[in-house]
Amino acid sequence: MLFSANRRQFGIALLALAAIAVAGHSQAGTLDEVKKKGVVVIGIQGDNPPWGYVDSSGKQDGIDADMGRAFADYLGVKAEFVPLAVANRIPALTTGRVDILFATMAMLPERAKAVQYSKPYVANEITLVAAQATPINSNADMAKFVIGVPRSSTQDTQVTNNAPAGTEIRRFDDDAATIQALLSGQVQAVGANSFYPQRLNAAKPELGFEPKLHFTALYNGACTRLGDKEWNETANKFIDQIKSNGKLASFYAKWMKAPVPIFPDSVPGVPFTVQ
């Protein structure tokens, strides 16, 4: 599903309103404070279906939104979502603007220096996507084209690390802007997550967008602040529960159209618990 121009403008307006609302929010606190307040503030991506996005009625939707609402139910409070751009996710958490992130947070060692990851709850594959007719068969071929990526994303890291020196890489604010850049011809290929081809082909099926290069398979986790053992333990207990009671399987069937994968017990450089 690709947002129209009107829906994109609507989404941007909602992001702006969210930013205003958050500016007046109290700083994130302990779990007891959240329970007393009756609201957990959840950072989520605002324009990246099926992970997290704002639907036409103004409601946050996607697998991360379902995760966030289930986490709020687990705590016995209401969920308040703060839509975030890719580059703003970690700052929103570390500065206390949000209590927790369910925001397509791929598990990367450099990120684990800034935030505390939970156990993984979803898998993602990072690729280079282009139209079927675009001749990209190796990393070296990227140098012949302009490549788009969402700024500060895993796609940005993977394309930057794999592209030959001198490759023109254009960085956009979010996934939706990156997809639009490919559709409009600003770029000829994009660093993509698992659902870019679906969104691109919904807009221009005649071009047959497809993965050209496969970079890495990643796992996403919830993120809390470094050293906060109580939040981390609570997030992990919640994820254990929804894995065992079938709720995660229902989210996967709804959004990923696939069974829940087997998650690793560890990811190098990314602890799942407070050390």
Side-chain angles (χ1 to χ4, degrees), residues 37 52 205 225 249:
K37 186 172 58 176
R225 282 171 288 280

PDB file of all heavy atoms in Angstrom, residues 37 52 205 225 249:
ATOM      1  N   LYS A  37       0.459   6.950  35.897  1.00  0.00           N
ATOM      2  CA  LYS A  37      -0.028   7.888  34.882  1.00  0.00           C
ATOM      3  C   LYS A  37      -1.088   7.240  34.001  1.00  0.00           C
ATOM      4  O   LYS A  37      -1.970   7.911  33.461  1.00  0.00           O
ATOM      5  CB  LYS A  37       1.162   8.363  34.049  1.00  0.00           C
ATOM      6  CG  LYS A  37       0.862   9.450  33.044  1.00  0.00           C
ATOM      7  CD  LYS A  37       2.141  10.004  32.409  1.00  0.00           C
ATOM      8  CE  LYS A  37       2.940   8.934  31.723  1.00  0.00           C
ATOM      9  NZ  LYS A  37       4.128   9.471  31.018  1.00  0.00           N
ATOM     10  N   GLY A  52       5.137   0.296  10.762  1.00  0.00           N
ATOM     11  CA  GLY A  52       4.409   1.295  11.518  1.00  0.00           C
ATOM     12  C   GLY A  52       4.021   2.431  10.598  1.00  0.00           C
ATOM     13  O   GLY A  52       4.847   2.916   9.818  1.00  0.00           O
ATOM     14  N   PRO A 205       3.266  -1.529 -11.223  1.00  0.00           N
ATOM     15  CA  PRO A 205       3.500  -2.960 -11.446  1.00  0.00           C
ATOM     16  C   PRO A 205       4.172  -3.265 -12.774  1.00  0.00           C
ATOM     17  O   PRO A 205       4.831  -4.301 -12.918  1.00  0.00           O
ATOM     18  CB  PRO A 205       2.090  -3.559 -11.388  1.00  0.00           C
ATOM     19  CG  PRO A 205       1.163  -2.413 -11.670  1.00  0.00           C
ATOM     20  CD  PRO A 205       1.827  -1.213 -11.096  1.00  0.00           C
ATOM     21  N   ARG A 225      16.078   2.261  27.538  1.00  0.00           N
ATOM     22  CA  ARG A 225      17.304   3.005  27.813  1.00  0.00           C
ATOM     23  C   ARG A 225      18.386   2.108  28.411  1.00  0.00           C
ATOM     24  O   ARG A 225      18.094   1.164  29.145  1.00  0.00           O
ATOM     25  CB  ARG A 225      17.001   4.198  28.732  1.00  0.00           C
ATOM     26  CG  ARG A 225      16.365   5.370  27.994  1.00  0.00           C
ATOM     27  CD  ARG A 225      15.861   6.446  28.931  1.00  0.00           C
ATOM     28  NE  ARG A 225      14.656   6.002  29.643  1.00  0.00           N
ATOM     29  CZ  ARG A 225      13.447   6.020  29.113  1.00  0.00           C
ATOM     30  NH1 ARG A 225      13.256   6.434  27.877  1.00  0.00           N
ATOM     31  NH2 ARG A 225      12.411   5.594  29.815  1.00  0.00           N
ATOM     32  N   ALA A 249       2.225 -14.846  16.763  1.00  0.00           N
ATOM     33  CA  ALA A 249       1.889 -15.582  15.538  1.00  0.00           C
ATOM     34  C   ALA A 249       0.723 -14.925  14.807  1.00  0.00           C
ATOM     35  O   ALA A 249       0.709 -14.863  13.564  1.00  0.00           O
ATOM     36  CB  ALA A 249       1.557 -17.033  15.873  1.00  0.00           C
TER      37      ALA A 249
END
